[in-house]
Amino acid sequence: MSFCAFFGGEAFRGHFEPGIYVCSKCGYELFSSRAKYQHSSPWPAFTETIHADSVAKYEERPGALKVSCGKCGNGLGHEFLNDGLKRGQSRF
């Protein structure tokens, strides 16, 4: 399952089959379906990455980090701090 640019509807928002989500540009592993959950946003939501280096991040604004593929730099969206399923958990 590859991440793509979020133009229009996101194909994997309601997809909950077991698998690994990878970068659409280089194929690097980003997220597991085990870390995916239903969220009110129009994009897929995950609680954690597969590898410590799956994504690169920088602070875009307080509470939100800009996220890109840790291997090739392809833009993936954001990490929202303290907006995950559990207290103190992030949402990707």
Side-chain angles (χ1 to χ4, degrees), residues 11-29:
F12 293 112
R13 179 177 183 258
H15 185 271
F16 287 92
E17 296 296 319
I20 304 295
Y21 290 80
V22 301
C23 175
S24 63
K25 189 172 181 181
C26 73
Y28 193 55
E29 295 178 335

Side-chain angles (χ1 to χ4, degrees), residues 1 21 24 35 60 71 83:
M1 294 169 266
Y21 290 80
S24 63
E60 185 175 64
K71 185 174 181 182
D83 191 38

Side-chain angles (χ1 to χ4, degrees), residues 7 18 40 51 56 73 83 88:
F7 301 111
S40 60
H51 308 292
D83 191 38

Side-chain angles (χ1 to χ4, degrees), residues 6-71:
F6 297 121
F7 301 111
E10 170 49 47
F12 293 112
R13 179 177 183 258
H15 185 271
F16 287 92
E17 296 296 319
I20 304 295
Y21 290 80
V22 301
C23 175
S24 63
K25 189 172 181 181
C26 73
Y28 193 55
E29 295 178 335
L30 302 171
F31 304 100
S32 167
S33 59
R34 291 188 306 267
K36 189 171 188 225
Y37 67 98
Q38 190 70 41
H39 190 269
S40 60
S41 73
W43 301 284
F46 301 91
T47 56
E48 63 188 359
T49 60
I50 286 186
H51 308 292
D53 67 347
S54 288
V55 299
K57 314 172 200 179
Y58 71 87
E59 187 173 32
E60 185 175 64
R61 63 181 185 272
L65 306 175
K66 192 73 171 172
V67 178
S68 59
C69 175
K71 185 174 181 182

